């Protein structure tokens, strides 16, 4: 038991199967007193038989009297996970008034009723977390033939944002999770209802997923667990940096106004101690306005001191695998990048001696904050301190034509720009909803989103920790979307004088000038 929710009372709706069931199990394993509800009494009986510590109650989430009766006889709630939902398939022309009303009743009205019922108690105690299930169907892009579902889940986003804006200053957090298609029993029922070749239907669902597979309930449960935990309570906007000349960097943070503040009176460096949960809690308790401002615009170094190891993931976006003529991996492809390659986000990139195939790769970096040894997917994000931008520079000839492992093409000096910031997990509630991009000389080559990863962050942390212990300060670079130089027709690579610019939503941006190696007429960058 991780103890992440020890002492907390949690109510979970639609807990009889799928995401709700996985979340009830994850919450209980993390120490919560879980009350699992569903309209399906048999499903709740089966859940209680397998997990006796989980209490169960039949609940119709659309009936306000039943909700109040449930809450009146139970402990005050610390966590509400609204998971009940109804998926109506079809366009607006396929949606009759009854289906429209039913969609709103289950997807929106139930969340309104439950949130309104639990909020007074949370506000009285000055703390609480509400997590609402939405969907990628609620995004601006939308999903075809999900009119009522997409519209109601978009309403859930609006409801969530309004509650968060009204009550976060009083200690109550409200967040929404917006996954793609998740393989659940209810989806299985819909597949069977379609009739015909079920295998073909499953393949069609899978083929529509940008990450090349369906999501798993345990992955959503891991995110819900993080959002329910106290770790997500920190709302200080913590962006940790290291600034100054190479080898003499000082710790700092960026405050809500974008000002650089010096942290050296509080911590020695952004290291394994600062990145631990206790270290982050200590930093989160600081009022940034009490820290001295840093004048001018100093150089930013890599935001982590003394990275222990840097583990990289290959072919983690289906489109990238396709452009490089590689199969979509059945398990994560892992390789190492030497930590001597790490540098600041805006330092010069030096093309290796004799290189003609130096390439770019924008990637989401995951920074470990707590020791992780063979952790579950559900507990994986508990071990993450934050996220940052990585340019996983690569020399393709060294990587692919010189034999042996990829590490030779990944570890050249200056091939690991990190930062500019380490953005703590409280500022990134869903690492699977981040846009990322890269340009060379102003031309956009890469545009992607972490939701299309084949293996998500929680899965990667869990998987890697099975084979090696992850230590505070370790970095996982999670793979790159399509658009690398190797995949262009014809391939195109970096040359001296090029300028690389890249970034990830909420994590900042990098800019590197490309230089020739001293042996090839350039000056040294180290």
């Amino acid at each position: 038991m991780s103890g992440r929710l020890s002492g907390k009372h949690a109510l979970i709706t639609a807990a009889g199967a799928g995401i709700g069931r996985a979340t009830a199990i994850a919450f209980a394993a993390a120490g919560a007193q879980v009350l699992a509800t569903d309209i399906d009494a048999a499903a709740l009986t089966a859940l209680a038989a397998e997990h006796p510590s989980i209490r169960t109650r039949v609940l119709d989430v659309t009936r306000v009297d039943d909700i109040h009766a449930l809450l009146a006889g139970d402990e005050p709630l610390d966590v509400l996970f609204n998971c009940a939902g109804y998926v109506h398939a079809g366009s607006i022309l396929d949606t009759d008034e009854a289906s429209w009303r039913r969609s709103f009743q289950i997807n929106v009205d139930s969340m309104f009723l439950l949130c309104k019922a639990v909020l007074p108690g949370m506000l009285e105690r000055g703390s609480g977390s509400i997590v609402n299930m939405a969907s990628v169907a609620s995004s601006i892009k939308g999903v075809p033939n999900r009119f009522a579902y997409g519209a109601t889940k978009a309403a859930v986003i609006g409801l969530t944002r309004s509650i968060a804006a009204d009550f976060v200053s009083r200690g109550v957090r409200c967040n929404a999770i917006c996954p793609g298609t998740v393989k659940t029993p209810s989806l299985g029922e819909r597949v069977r209802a379609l009739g015909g070749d079920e295998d073909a239907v499953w393949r069609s669902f899978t083929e529509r997923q940008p990450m090349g597979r369906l999501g798993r309930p345990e992955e959503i449960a891991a995110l819900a667990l993080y959002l329910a935990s106290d770790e997500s309570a920190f709302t200080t906007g913590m962006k940790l940096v290291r600034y100054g000349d190479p080898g003499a960097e000082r710790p700092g943070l960026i405050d809500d106004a974008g000002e650089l503040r010096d942290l050296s009176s509080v911590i020695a460096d952004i290291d394994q101690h600062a990145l631990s949960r206790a270290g982050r809690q200590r930093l989160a308790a600081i009022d940034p306005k009490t820290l001295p401002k840093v004048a001018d615009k100093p150089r930013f170094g890599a935001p982590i001191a003394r990275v222990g190891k840097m583990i990289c993931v290959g072919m983690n976006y289906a489109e990238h695998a396709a452009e490089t003529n590689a199969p979509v991996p059945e398990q994560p492809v892992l390789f190492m990048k030497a930590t001597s390659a790490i540098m600041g986000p805006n330092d010069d990139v030096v093309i290796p001696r004799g290189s003609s195939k130096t390439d770019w790769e924008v990637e989401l970096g995951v920074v470990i904050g707590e020791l992780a040894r063979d952790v579950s997917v559900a507990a994986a994000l508990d071990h993450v301190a934050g996220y940052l931008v990585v340019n996983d520079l690569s020399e393709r000839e060294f990587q692919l034509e010189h034999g042996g492992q990829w590490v030779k093409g990944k570890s050249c000096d200056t091939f690991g720009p990190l930062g500019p910031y380490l953005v703590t997990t409280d500022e990134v509630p869903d690492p699977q909803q981040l846009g990322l991009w890269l340009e060379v000389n102003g031309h956009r080559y890469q545009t992607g989103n972490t939701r299309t990863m084949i293996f998500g962050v929680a899965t990667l942390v869990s998987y890697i920790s099975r084979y090696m212990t992850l230590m505070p300060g370790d970095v996982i670079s999670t793979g790159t979307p399509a658009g690398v130089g190797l995949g262009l027709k014809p391939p195109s690579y970096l040359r001296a004088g090029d300028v690389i610019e890249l970034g990830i939503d909420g994590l900042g941006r990098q800019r590197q000038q490309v230089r020739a190696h001293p042996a090839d007429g350039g000056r040294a960058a180290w």
Side-chain angles (χ1 to χ4, degrees), residues 4 53 55 63 72 88 95 133 142 167 205 216 249 253 255 331 343 355 367 387 436 440 496 525:
R4 200 173 183 184
S53 68
R55 296 182 299 126
R63 296 175 60 89
H88 177 270
T95 307
M133 277 302 300
F167 299 114
F205 269 107
R216 294 186 290 271
E249 291 92 348
L253 63 77
D255 66 18
Q331 297 188 49
M343 67 173 189
S355 166
V367 181
Y387 304 94
L436 59 172
V440 179

Side-chain angles (χ1 to χ4, degrees), residues 105 152 207 337 428:
Q105 186 180 36
T152 52
E207 289 168 357
K337 181 186 284 280
V428 189

Side-chain angles (χ1 to χ4, degrees), residues 387-432:
Y387 304 94
L388 45 71
V389 182
V390 177
N391 189 355
D392 179 22
L393 289 143
S394 311
E395 212 300 334
R396 302 302 187 189
E397 181 181 347
F398 298 179
Q399 176 187 356
L400 303 173
E401 302 174 35
H402 284 196
Q405 300 180 345
W406 288 3
V407 64
K408 288 187 290 189
K410 296 286 188 173
S411 297
C412 301
D413 289 338
T414 75
F415 271 25
L418 303 183
Y421 325 119
L422 185 159
V423 181
T424 50
T425 51
D426 53 289
E427 290 297 296
V428 189
D430 189 352
Q432 305 305 150

